[in-house]
Amino acid sequence: MKQLLMIICCVTAIQLAAQQNLSSDNTISEWTSEWQKQYIADRENPAKWDSIHYKEDLQNGEEAKHAPLTKGVFPVPNYDLYAGTFDGIVAANFDIELPTGQRIACVVSGNHKTSLNESFLGDNDIDFFFILAVVTDVPRDTVTYDDTFVDGISRNHPDVISEGYVRISETDRVDFVAFRAANNDAYAIVNMRLFNLNYGNIIVIVPQQDGSLRSMQIKPDEIITFTTLRKYTTSLFTENEQINKFITTRRDEFTQPSE
């Protein structure tokens, strides 16, 4: 009985500590360790699970592409338990055609403005936390659309995660998994290379003739919006001399044969 009382007191203490980080309109203004502990408890408590989303995920599980990670169906806490921390996510792709005839396939992951990210988004509505730009010789697939793939997932809410790929040949592709955590840290794994996106959310990948890859990490000098996304990235890849040289180099000095 004493042990049960201690557990109840502990959970109550976590809940009270978490409530202290609510803003005046009862939204969560900061994702603290107390909120994280509360989230873990809610994720393991069937009474807090969202049955509607769970049933939807079970019905749609076979339709989802699994690339590069298999997307399992897990019960998740109800989104409403964390007020103000979710308003939708973004997952999209587009192409940039270079004057050289090369194609840059871009995949984009974003999170709508919430009470957790509004402090750095200002007047903007979307946090594009990850932009992957891959130089590829594979033409756009207008039949099966299998040349690129991106899927945004909110089931780790208030963390947001995305995954996908860009094909760079008939047999090879660039895979990625990226996430924005509730505390606003962001990371991506691209073909097992780790990127801390807080130091630059644009990752450029250039395949080399010897089968290796080159990467460049870019931190924009402004917050990218829906309106400026294509214009900014196109300008970056066509007008910046250093970046343009990087994306057009398929065999650098490191891979040159030794004398």
Side-chain angles (χ1 to χ4, degrees), residues 2-173:
K2 180 182 291 186
Q3 184 178 8
L4 177 61
L5 181 61
M6 290 176 63
I7 293 174
I8 294 174
C9 290
C10 181
V11 172
T12 302
I14 291 174
Q15 292 173 335
L16 290 175
Q19 297 302 316
Q20 293 176 358
N21 292 283
L22 295 175
S23 62
S24 58
D25 59 354
N26 288 329
T27 59
I28 302 172
S29 58
E30 180 184 4
W31 194 257
T32 62
S33 61
E34 286 78 18
W35 272 115
Q36 185 63 38
K37 293 173 184 176
Q38 179 64 49
Y39 171 76
I40 292 173
D42 291 343
R43 190 162 63 175
E44 298 173 0
N45 181 358
K48 300 294 184 70
W49 292 349
D50 187 330
S51 61
I52 295 177
H53 279 139
Y54 178 64
K55 292 176 182 177
E56 288 178 357
D57 291 345
L58 281 176
Q59 293 173 354
N60 300 326
E62 294 301 320
E63 300 175 8
K65 293 184 179 180
H66 298 156
L69 299 180
T70 297
K71 186 166 61 176
V73 176
F74 294 92
V76 297
N78 194 298
Y79 287 26
D80 294 338
L81 293 173
Y82 318 104
T85 64
F86 181 74
D87 193 30
I89 60 176
V90 175
N93 67 278
F94 62 94
D95 281 359
I96 296 175
E97 301 291 345
L98 299 176
T100 59
Q102 289 178 301
R103 169 191 174 212
I104 300 181
C106 300
V107 291
V108 181
S109 303
N111 191 21
H112 280 261
K113 180 185 285 188
T114 71
S115 59
L116 297 174
N117 62 26
E118 62 183 355
S119 61
F120 64 82
L121 278 181
D123 295 330
N124 298 299
D125 294 327
I126 302 290
D127 165 32
F128 289 114
F129 65 88
F130 180 58
I131 301 171
L132 177 66
V134 180
V135 177
T136 176
D137 295 325
V138 175
R140 175 184 282 254
D141 183 348
T142 58
V143 179
T144 64
Y145 301 99
D146 192 44
D147 56 310
T148 59
F149 173 69
V150 57
D151 186 19
I153 304 164
S154 65
R155 292 298 188 261
N156 292 285
H157 166 74
D159 301 325
V160 176
I161 190 170
S162 66
E163 66 170 337
Y165 59 79
V166 175
R167 295 196 182 280
I168 54 177
S169 74
E170 291 185 0
T171 57
D172 294 325
R173 69 188 194 190

